[in-house]
Amino acid sequence: MGTGMGMGMGMGMGWMWLVGLLVLLGVVLLVVLAVRAVGGGITRGVGSGDATARPPARSRARELLDARYARGELSSDEYRERLQTLEEHA
């Protein structure tokens, strides 16, 4: 009776290291995801060679100005003048 119990424990313990490793990897993954979510992810500069680097975000005023110019509400001269004013105040 003692021998059968010992073999069963040995087989169960053999899988425990795998379960422990998977739990550890899961915790590490959760920590990495939490840090990236809170920190906004990793950002790289434009010259870093990363093809997926995002350009700096434009202001809402610049987006509106571009949209008005695209719709033809502003002439080229008006667009350039207002763009220069936005850049001076940024």
Side-chain angles (χ1 to χ4, degrees), residues 64-77 79-80:
L64 292 172
L65 182 63
D66 290 346
R68 289 187 64 199
Y69 181 66
R71 287 191 301 261
E73 296 176 12
L74 299 173
S75 68
S76 295
D77 291 334
Y79 174 77
R80 279 191 226 105

Side-chain angles (χ1 to χ4, degrees), residues 34-70:
V35 168
R36 290 190 69 171
V38 170
I42 298 172
T43 57
R44 297 182 183 185
V46 175
S48 67
D50 184 14
T52 61
R54 287 177 270 151
R58 294 187 304 179
S59 70
R60 179 74 177 135
R62 172 69 189 266
E63 290 176 7
L64 292 172
L65 182 63
D66 290 346
R68 289 187 64 199
Y69 181 66

